[in-house]
């Protein structure tokens, strides 16, 4: 099983889309192993997005992501990183496929509702940035026997 870090960004919280977005992951039987609301401090936002430090959109990105509370999650499933990236859709919602979160609910790159790690390495880094061990939970769900061939 693979774990990935997902965040409903401030626009998703403000627009009341937390339930809709979490519901899509739950319906797909991805397992929520951590979840919390937080208002990201600027220093954490800078570390999270450090790969973009030299990009022209870095400052607007930081002010967007720190503009209100977000909901952070760790989700687990087979190939969870790429499965969730596909469910989110392209970075620019105007290029995202219908049926993806970004295409269905968003219109602008700078207000694209969700974050999801782009590789297993990024996932490990981001999970560590946002969660303590005691906030992550291993548990069994009764439907697990019906999700995968053994
Ligand atoms: P993603 O969030 O799909 O992984 P990314 O890591 O390239 O995309 O960029 C992080 C965020 O930065 C993205 O969700 C929105 C913003 N962003 C990316 N490219 C941008 C651009 N060209 N103009 C404005 N904002 C951009
Ligand atoms: Mg990214």
């Amino acid at each position: 099983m693979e774990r990935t870090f997902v965040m409903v960004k401030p626009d998703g919280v403000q627009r009341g889309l937390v339930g809709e977005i979490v519901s899509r992951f739950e319906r797909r039987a991805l397992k929520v192993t951590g979840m919390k609301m937080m208002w990201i401090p600027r220093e954490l936002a800078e570390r999270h997005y450090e790969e973009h430090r030299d990009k022209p959109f870095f400052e607007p990105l930081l002010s967007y992501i720190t503009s209100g509370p977000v909901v952070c999650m760790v989700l687990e499933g087979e190939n969870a990183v790429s499965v969730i990236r596909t469910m989110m859709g392209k970075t620019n919602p105007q290029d995202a496929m219908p049926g993806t979160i970004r295409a269905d609910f968003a219109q602008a790159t700078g207000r694209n509702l969700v974050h999801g790690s782009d590789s297993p390495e990024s996932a490990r880094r981001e999970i560590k940035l946002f969660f303590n061990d005691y906030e992550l939970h291993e548990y069994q769900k009764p439907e697990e026997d019906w999700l995968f061939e053994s």
Side-chain angles (χ1 to χ4, degrees):
M1 284 303 144
E2 191 170 83
R3 280 182 168 186
T4 188
F5 174 71
V6 175
M7 184 201 303
V8 180
K9 295 177 178 180
D11 46 339
V13 174
Q14 297 292 333
R15 292 176 57 201
L17 291 171
V18 175
E20 166 70 40
I21 291 168
V22 174
S23 173
R24 288 180 174 219
F25 298 131
E26 280 192 310
R27 274 191 333 224
R28 194 136 182 212
L30 289 151
K31 191 193 279 185
V32 179
T33 59
M35 180 182 274
K36 64 180 171 185
M37 182 180 245
M38 63 187 295
W39 198 316
I40 305 180
R42 187 176 161 104
E43 313 74 63
L44 177 58
E46 283 179 8
R47 289 178 69 194
H48 174 61
Y49 279 127
E50 67 192 359
E51 64 173 315
H52 298 304
R53 193 173 290 276
D54 299 325
K55 311 261 173 65
F57 58 81
F58 187 62
E59 272 308 320
L61 177 60
L62 287 197
S63 84
Y64 162 46
I65 212 69
T66 59
S67 63
V70 301
V71 173
C72 299
M73 279 165 277
V74 176
L75 296 177
E76 194 178 290
E78 267 189 20
N79 297 311
V81 168
S82 73
V83 164
I84 284 168
R85 292 283 291 185
T86 304
M87 291 174 78
M88 286 168 34
K90 291 241 175 88
T91 306
N92 181 346
Q94 294 173 20
D95 298 330
M97 291 285 284
T100 62
I101 295 164
R102 286 166 168 172
D104 288 354
F105 301 107
Q107 299 188 41
T109 303
R111 296 289 183 272
N112 63 5
L113 287 174
V114 273
H115 167 84
S117 310
D118 63 7
S119 68
E121 299 71 52
S122 305
R124 278 190 285 277
R125 187 184 79 86
E126 293 169 0
I127 290 168
K128 237 190 249 164
L129 268 182
F130 284 87
F131 284 89
N132 291 308
D133 286 345
Y134 60 79
E135 295 172 310
L136 298 172
H137 310 286
E138 279 178 34
Y139 60 98
Q140 298 299 313
K141 289 166 81 183
E143 82 252 26
E144 274 167 35
D145 285 345
W146 298 97
L147 283 176
F148 303 105
E149 291 180 84
S150 52

